Amino acid sequence: MGKKATLEEWKGLYEMAIKIKEMKPWERLNDLDFITIEFDENSEPIVCSILGKGGETYGICCYRGYEEIYKLFSMIESKDMPPEQVYRYQDCLACYFGDREELNNKEYKLIKDLGYKFRGKGNWIFFRSFDPIFIPDMPNRDEVLEMTKILEQLYYALQGMYFGFNVDYENGMMLVRAFDKKTGSWVNRRGFLEDLEMKFEVSLRHDELFIKRIKNKKPTKVLLELDIAYLNSIFKDEKYEKPLVMRMALLSDRKIGMILSHHLVTPEDKDTDIYFNTLLNYIYHNGKPKTVFVRDKYVYQILKDLCEKINVELKISKKLPAIDFFVNVYNSNF
């Protein structure tokens, strides 16, 4: 999980957060008016979303790289998905300007150790690291240092806006703050949201002989649902510093609502392998389904090549009725 940051390192992060809070950027920006940070031409972009325009949650969410940015857009488009399944897209570093009651004991102690005397509603600053595998917790040392660098450049980007650097957010633009290697300096420029589109590259080695055998399996009229579902349960393991969110790989028959296979997913498991092998194992023993329904574009891309090779239809469905029913029953009993 990484080492803990020192008080001095935390101090640097808090100082940047306080500077940004004083600017009240939510008065100018909506949460979808992104500011993108590019540290060099070889690194993936970091997208910052400013929360607070709606008057509820105030803060900054930082999405580091294309995978986290993809999850951000998936979360925005997840209105038809069961709420407990949206957690799979919670993957970012966040700074919040909230109330005393929102802090846990570790966060409150840190603020006291740093000598800050926050008072009043919306004035308590705290940080969370979100990971779809673990429950949210305080950032580790590497994350503290990374977020300090991000907030520093976000601060200068916001300064540029306040001094007249205008961005046409209504027409799909965003502010980009990038390091120019040629001049050795930081610059603000305008970019477009489509520049953030994730390029799916799912590298799975196929056993072509096995694929050929699978392709020749008898076709059926079965409609399958396949997902790694999130359950409203957490569990602790001595191997990990933080409690884990319980995730279960589920394969179901969409027509009759029956769960055909299930097993818990651990942090050591690769999601790509689980999706791929679960479907292959089913087909090997039961024949080819007519259609396989998956939750989102990411899983679709994992299985797309396989399904094309074996002539099985693949569709995206944010609601998976059989799996969602199983999850609801499980959650109501635990």
Side-chain angles (χ1 to χ4, degrees):
M1 295 304 153
K3 297 179 180 179
K4 293 181 179 179
T6 65
L7 279 180
E8 182 180 356
E9 290 164 342
W10 274 111
K11 187 83 170 180
L13 179 56
Y14 267 89
E15 286 176 353
M16 290 310 311
I18 289 170
K19 284 184 178 181
I20 292 175
K21 180 177 182 295
E22 290 172 348
M23 300 176 80
K24 299 181 179 180
W26 47 83
E27 292 183 351
R28 283 175 174 254
L29 298 171
N30 293 302
D31 55 359
L32 300 185
D33 293 342
F34 301 134
I35 294 177
T36 297
I37 312 295
E38 296 179 354
F39 282 100
D40 62 66
E41 57 188 14
N42 297 318
S43 62
E44 295 186 1
I46 297 166
V47 167
C48 299
S49 171
I50 306 295
L51 310 178
K53 188 73 169 182
E56 296 180 0
T57 301
Y58 293 83
I60 305 158
C61 290
C62 304
Y63 300 86
R64 302 158 295 165
Y66 288 112
E67 187 169 343
E68 290 189 11
I69 294 167
Y70 161 75
K71 291 176 182 176
L72 164 63
F73 284 105
S74 296
M75 187 163 52
I76 294 169
E77 299 168 358
S78 65
K79 62 180 181 179
D80 295 327
M81 189 179 291
E84 63 271 14
Q85 301 309 323
V86 179
Y87 190 86
R88 71 190 65 206
Y89 303 131
Q90 298 280 347
D91 197 355
C92 67
L93 294 176
C95 167
Y96 291 109
F97 311 118
D99 304 337
R100 166 66 185 91
E101 308 81 61
E102 297 177 71
L103 277 65
N104 61 37
N105 292 334
K106 291 187 297 182
E107 291 162 342
Y108 181 74
K109 183 180 184 303
L110 173 63
I111 289 172
K112 293 303 178 185
D113 290 344
L114 290 170
Y116 291 116
K117 299 183 183 298
F118 299 135
R119 295 286 185 274
K121 192 175 180 63
N123 290 321
W124 291 81
I125 302 175
F126 57 100
F127 302 86
R128 297 275 167 84
S129 173
F130 288 89
D131 185 307
I133 296 176
F134 299 95
I135 65 168
D137 201 359
M138 295 172 66
N140 61 33
R141 180 175 183 267
D142 289 342
E143 292 171 329
V144 167
L145 297 177
E146 182 181 14
M147 196 167 192
T148 303
K149 291 170 57 180
I150 294 170
L151 293 193
E152 179 183 13
Q153 296 308 321
L154 175 61
Y155 171 74
Y156 288 123
L158 289 168
Q159 270 195 331
M161 293 186 66
Y162 278 72
F163 284 104
F165 189 86
N166 296 316
V167 178
D168 189 1
Y169 280 109
E170 291 186 1
N171 287 307
M173 298 190 75
M174 62 183 178
L175 190 156
V176 179
R177 182 163 178 82
F179 183 75
D180 188 330
K181 191 176 181 180
K182 293 180 181 178
T183 63
S185 60
W186 285 88
V187 296
N188 292 339
R189 59 179 173 80
R190 298 167 184 85
F192 294 90
L193 289 178
E194 54 260 35
D195 297 337
L196 300 175
E197 184 178 353
M198 181 178 179
K199 307 298 187 294
F200 287 98
E201 293 183 5
V202 180
S203 56
L204 289 170
R205 292 184 179 179
H206 301 331
D207 182 333
E208 294 301 329
L209 180 59
F210 186 69
I211 296 296
K212 187 175 181 180
R213 291 176 183 170
I214 292 293
K215 183 177 181 179
N216 292 328
K217 288 289 182 178
K218 181 181 178 180
T220 69
K221 295 183 179 181
V222 173
L223 306 181
L224 292 181
E225 298 175 348
L226 177 58
D227 192 34
I228 296 178
Y230 282 68
L231 309 177
N232 286 344
S233 299
I234 61 172
F235 66 97
K236 296 182 179 181
D237 189 306
E238 293 179 355
K239 293 188 296 184
Y240 312 107
E241 294 180 12
K242 296 190 291 186
L244 292 92
V245 177
M246 188 172 288
R247 301 187 303 150
M248 186 176 290
L250 295 169
L251 182 71
S252 68
D253 185 310
R254 190 178 180 96
K255 284 184 178 179
I256 64 176
M258 178 183 292
I259 298 297
L260 303 175
S261 71
H262 60 88
H263 69 269
L264 290 178
V265 180
T266 71
E268 287 77 23
D269 293 323
K270 289 184 65 175
D271 289 5
T272 51
D273 291 341
I274 288 174
Y275 285 117
F276 195 71
N277 294 330
T278 299
L279 181 57
L280 280 179
N281 184 64
Y282 172 86
I283 295 173
Y284 183 77
H285 291 97
N286 301 282
K288 294 191 300 183
K290 181 178 185 295
T291 307
V292 178
F293 293 87
V294 295
R295 190 81 72 177
D296 58 25
K297 289 186 288 186
Y298 181 69
V299 186
Y300 181 92
Q301 290 297 327
I302 292 172
L303 299 175
K304 180 174 180 287
D305 183 57
L306 169 64
C307 288
E308 286 178 352
K309 286 182 176 180
I310 64 175
N311 299 319
V312 169
E313 186 179 35
L314 183 64
K315 288 187 175 181
I316 295 174
S317 174
K318 294 187 186 301
K319 292 182 180 179
L320 302 174
I323 288 178
D324 295 341
F325 179 78
F326 173 87
V327 171
N328 288 335
V329 172
Y330 177 93
N331 288 339
S332 65
N333 287 289
F334 289 90

